[in-house]
Amino acid sequence: MCLFRPNTVQAAYRRGRSIYPAKPHVVTTKWNDNKVVIKKVDRVYELFLLQKLKHTNIITVIDSSMWSTGAYIVFEFAPGDLLSYMQRNRPEEVEVQCYFVQIHRAVMYIHSFSIIHADIKLDNCLLFGNNIVKLIDFGLASVVKPGQVQSRGCGTISYRAPETFLRSYCGFANDVWALGICLFAMLTGFFPFVRASGSDNCFKTTFFKKNHSIRSIFVFYNLPFKLSEDVT
């Protein structure tokens, strides 16, 4: 059912309030007493991809409106994202497993459509009631052929796979690497390194070896190891 007519989508967007400092084009507003999120995009391709995807762990598009300058996409509202939640809480491993399994399902689902996300990170995983996690922000996503090599820059540096800095990489593998970074950050409360390249001392010390693990990163930072054997 269409909630917004084209002219009211734009009006609702203008009435909205930005809640993400880094994303001024994303606002929250009310419609029929329901809180929603409206995102203004210049890349209409994002809308086409989202309309194709229907999954419990992918953000739901309520409505949309295309304009000559782009499109407005209306999404369901969530009170927060996983990064904000992790910054305020230290969840148990069982809770982390619950969140990670959902992110993994979402990524495997989009990969089944030959879609790479290219910006998987905790702040792109919204946390709804009943501990439901949904993947958002398909602004860098694209459909690729199996074996197709990517050359464009992608995502957030701390989540990017080493080969992305060489501008010749597999987009699917980069998404999987980002999943691993998400898992590590949720389990430990910090990111393993700033940049997955030889310029980062932690990455160089722990990953340029034949045997590397979460434990080796803890040793590098001289931190007490408190994770279970099942994790390590």
Side-chain angles (χ1 to χ4, degrees), residues 177-218:
W177 174 278
L179 280 174
I181 299 298
C182 289
L183 178 60
F184 183 96
M186 286 191 290
L187 286 168
T188 64
F190 68 95
F191 292 96
F193 29 76
V194 175
R195 183 186 181 99
S197 70
S199 62
D200 186 284
N201 286 334
C202 180
F203 181 82
K204 181 169 62 177
T205 302
T206 59
F207 279 82
F208 283 6
K209 298 178 180 179
K210 291 184 179 179
N211 297 314
H212 55 265
S213 64
I214 292 177
R215 187 178 296 275
S216 65
I217 297 175
F218 269 69

Side-chain angles (χ1 to χ4, degrees), residues 36 43 47 53 73 84 88-89 115 133 138 153 160 176 186 200 204-205 222 228 231:
V36 297
R43 189 170 178 250
L47 173 60
L53 302 173
I73 311 176
S84 299
R88 299 190 306 268
N89 305 274
I115 296 172
V133 175
F138 284 72
R160 286 172 57 178
V176 174
M186 286 191 290
D200 186 284
K204 181 169 62 177
T205 302
N222 194 29
S228 70
V231 173

